[in-house]
């Protein structure tokens, strides 16, 4: 059985390489802040979404809830993140960045922009837009497929 897109393995390998390389570079860059194993990505999302729940964070990052829990605990231990009490629902413990976590955001954001600039070097603005649109479609397709696999 031949699947549609079967002749595109290099595109998906490239996506994997980009993901791994940016994580390795980021882990090395933020090692001095004790942010390892892509914790900087979690911290960015918490800063960008104050009050996000751990469940919503795991969904947004497409990671296993237990992986998210371990990472959030490490961010709390390093005093980059804190859990708040929810006034309406005692079971919810929204996540917020501490002052220390907020202080890292400009450096995290600069890294993200630098990696984007490196990755899109030589592309015209039109090509950058096409790339963004195509990757969004691929991400949606994979997310939808993942959702069908989780129903089992």
């Amino acid at each position: 059985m031949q699947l549609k897109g079967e002749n595109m393995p290099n595109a998906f390998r490239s996506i994997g390489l980009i993901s791994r390389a940016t994580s390795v570079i980021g882990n090395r860059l933020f090692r001095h802040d004790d942010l390892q194993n892509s914790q900087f990505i979690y911290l960015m999302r918490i800063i960008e979404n104050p009050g996000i729940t751990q469940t919503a964070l795991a969904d947004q990052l497409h990671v296993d809830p237990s992986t998210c829990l371990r990472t959030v605990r490490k961010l709390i231990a390093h005093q980059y993140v804190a859990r708040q009490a929810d006034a309406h629902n005692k079971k919810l413990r929204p996540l917020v960045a501490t002052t220390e976590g907020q202080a890292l955001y400009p450096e995290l954001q600069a890294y993200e922009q630098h990696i984007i600039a490196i990755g899109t070097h030589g592309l015209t603005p039109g090509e950058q837009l096409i790339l963004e649109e195509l990757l969004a479609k691929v991400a949606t397709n994979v997310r939808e497929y993942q959702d069908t696999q989780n129903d089992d």
Side-chain angles (χ1 to χ4, degrees), residues 29-30 44 104-116:
L29 183 63
F30 300 113
M44 281 189 78
L104 286 175
Y105 189 67
E107 190 177 353
L108 298 171
Q109 194 174 34
Y111 168 69
E112 182 178 64
Q113 292 304 309
H114 182 68
I115 287 297
I116 291 169

Side-chain angles (χ1 to χ4, degrees), residues 50-64:
I52 191 170
T53 64
Q54 191 172 297
T55 301
L57 180 63
D59 288 345
Q60 190 178 100
L61 294 174
H62 303 284
V63 296
D64 183 76

Side-chain angles (χ1 to χ4, degrees), residues 123-138:
L123 298 179
T124 67
E127 289 171 330
Q128 290 177 23
L129 183 60
I130 291 168
L131 176 64
E132 186 175 344
E133 289 172 353
L134 293 175
L135 286 174
K137 286 181 181 181
V138 171

Side-chain angles (χ1 to χ4, degrees), residues 49-79:
N49 301 282
I52 191 170
T53 64
Q54 191 172 297
T55 301
L57 180 63
D59 288 345
Q60 190 178 100
L61 294 174
H62 303 284
V63 296
D64 183 76
S66 61
T67 300
C68 187
L69 173 63
R70 284 191 302 275
T71 303
V72 166
R73 282 182 177 165
K74 289 176 184 175
L75 290 170
I76 290 170
H78 285 97
Q79 298 181 344

